[in-house]
Amino acid sequence: MTECVQCGADVTLHDDAEVGEIVDCTTCGAELEVVERTPPVLDRAPELEEDWGE
Amino acid sequence: MQIGLLYSRIRKDEKLLLAELRERGHEVVKIDVRDLQLALDEAPEILSGLDLVVDRCLATSRSLYATKFCEAYGVPVVNSAETAQTCADKVQNSLALAQSGVPTPATDVAFTKESAMESIESFGYPCVLKPVVGSWGRLMAKIDSRSAAEAILEHKATLGHYEHKVFYVQEFVDKPGRDIRVLAADGEPLSAMVRSSDHWLTNAAKGAETDAFELDAEAEKLVEQASDAVGGGLLGIDLMEVGGESESDYTVHEVNHTVEFKALNETTETDVPAEVVDWLEAKADEADEETKHEVVA
């Protein structure tokens, strides 16, 4: 378990969480990026860019 | 095999791929492109010893340059930089399809508001204005009137990035409330679905409903042609039914080069990540054979 960098609420990662994956904070709704798995470290997810996705 | 995965965000698609690769015993090196420094003469250490690199960059710009550098370093990469270049830009994509004789919607490209307005008027209303780069149905405009056209052109010219001053005007295809997404590996369809919506945009990212779709011979032929037209690879090929749902009459409006497949995996019975990894294994073997051949030669 770690905490949301935006609101400080507890965030629990799934067992299969990957570095680079985006998780939502269920308390404030912030999109968070998994930066480290063990121990879990989260950062704010990058903003959507215009050239993303297919 | 040792496989590199270029990424900057791990979506469900990448998680499915990673799980399948690891389950088969392959060693996966995750390469976050945000950490890379790509010199002209020497590959970064993280790219050394890889049998194959899979480009899963979320951002088109990163995909274009990262694949180009991999090829410059002699590191086998899928999809190729050529395919990425052609698919990343709707203008090049349309040109490649048209030049290969693949049916594709009538399209004009214009560089000023005035010339774009002439194109729009010649297509008539409704017609469609698309950004040359972009996905998930963003910034797409269905233009129903001259006044709407004037407003959108003004906004794009004034507010947009310079690429929005390249006006990509397309005929409106009156599809039967759905389009078709085909995942294909070097022209061979792996899985296909229809995306249906009451909205004129039927992207899965816009919330369209998805159902499995059985391709007929004509659609299979077009998928192969469209794949060849852009240089092959693992592609998402989008088709629309121009003769209604019952006619085998299609137009190919787009080919995507870092295709997302989670919706396909959930919609169809195909084990999509397994099919993709089968193809990756074959591509790695091909690359290995080529390397051996070069060494002998």
Side-chain angles (χ1 to χ4, degrees):
Chain A
M1 190 180 299
T2 183
E3 67 178 40
C4 172
V5 292
Q6 183 153 296
C7 72
D10 289 337
V11 178
T12 305
L13 297 182
H14 293 291
D15 292 342
D16 67 345
E18 292 274 349
V19 170
E21 188 177 344
I22 305 300
V23 295
D24 292 329
C25 171
T26 53
T27 303
C28 71
E31 284 198 323
L32 305 168
E33 178 178 349
V34 180
V35 178
E36 298 283 348
R37 276 190 60 194
T38 42
V41 177
L42 300 173
D43 199 355
R44 281 190 181 80
E47 291 292 321
L48 178 72
E49 301 264 3
E50 197 172 307
D51 69 338
W52 281 15
E54 287 198 358
Chain B
M1 66 183 177
Q2 195 172 28
I3 188 154
L5 185 103
L6 288 170
Y7 78 99
S8 55
R9 181 184 263 204
I10 299 292
R11 294 162 286 184
K12 189 168 181 188
D13 312 83
E14 283 73 46
K15 287 190 78 169
L16 290 166
L17 266 188
L18 288 168
E20 184 68 26
L21 285 163
R22 288 170 180 153
E23 201 170 292
R24 295 191 191 192
H26 299 304
E27 188 184 336
V28 184
V29 179
K30 285 169 64 184
I31 305 164
D32 187 339
V33 290
R34 292 171 297 180
D35 297 333
L36 286 179
Q37 296 98 45
L38 298 160
L40 299 181
D41 50 356
E42 196 177 350
E45 181 63 27
I46 197 166
L47 290 176
S48 68
L50 298 175
D51 297 298
L52 188 71
V53 168
V54 185
D55 168 31
R56 294 297 308 173
C57 289
L58 184 57
T60 300
S61 48
R62 292 171 181 173
S63 168
L64 289 177
Y65 294 123
T67 52
K68 197 83 183 164
F69 272 100
C70 283
E71 288 181 357
Y73 299 142
V75 179
V77 61
V78 289
N79 287 326
S80 71
E82 180 200 354
T83 294
Q85 188 83 45
T86 306
C87 293
D89 182 308
K90 284 192 175 62
V91 178
Q92 294 196 44
N93 206 323
S94 294
L95 268 176
L97 292 172
Q99 286 174 340
S100 298
V102 178
T104 195
T107 302
D108 274 7
V109 173
F111 304 120
T112 64
K113 288 186 292 179
E114 293 73 22
S115 52
M117 181 56 80
E118 284 185 29
S119 286
I120 289 168
E121 294 270 293
S122 68
F123 278 120
Y125 301 101
C127 66
V128 175
L129 200 61
K130 298 180 178 178
V132 289
V133 174
S135 298
W136 296 341
R138 288 164 299 175
L139 297 176
M140 307 274 277
K142 180 184 172 194
I143 303 174
D144 291 313
S145 66
R146 183 179 175 92
S147 55
E150 287 170 347
I152 292 165
L153 293 174
E154 176 75 15
H155 278 90
K156 281 173 73 73
T158 306
L159 301 174
H161 183 263
Y162 73 90
E163 282 175 332
H164 290 291
K165 296 175 181 68
V166 178
F167 299 104
Y168 178 98
V169 186
Q170 198 163 64
E171 67 170 316
F172 177 75
V173 176
D174 191 14
K175 60 182 188 278
R178 66 184 202 177
D179 75 348
I180 301 163
R181 161 60 64 91
V182 184
L183 176 70
D186 286 332
E188 185 189 335
L190 303 181
S191 186
M193 66 182 180
V194 283
R195 306 176 290 194
S196 307
S197 174
D198 292 335
H199 197 277
W200 74 280
L201 289 171
T202 49
N203 303 63
K206 290 275 187 194
E209 284 184 18
T210 56
D211 282 300
F213 185 73
E214 190 78 26
L215 297 176
D216 59 27
E218 181 62 21
E220 285 183 1
K221 187 184 87 181
L222 290 179
V223 165
E224 187 177 358
Q225 286 179 347
S227 173
D228 289 347
V230 301
L234 182 72
L235 301 167
I237 299 170
D238 296 340
L239 301 88
M240 290 186 281
E241 299 148 293
V242 290
E245 290 185 22
S246 54
E247 300 272 330
S248 292
D249 199 1
Y250 304 97
T251 188
V252 180
H253 53 286
E254 191 165 303
V255 183
N256 299 279
H257 75 285
T258 42
V259 55
E260 293 168 344
F261 50 78
K262 58 181 176 292
L264 268 168
N265 197 51
E266 287 161 8
T267 304
T268 68
E269 289 180 2
T270 308
D271 184 343
V272 174
E275 295 276 341
V276 171
V277 172
D278 284 348
W279 180 75
L280 292 176
E281 287 171 341
K283 297 304 278 188
D285 286 344
E286 266 177 44
D288 187 45
E289 284 300 315
E290 279 173 24
T291 307
K292 281 181 193 158
H293 184 73
E294 281 168 15
V295 170
V296 171

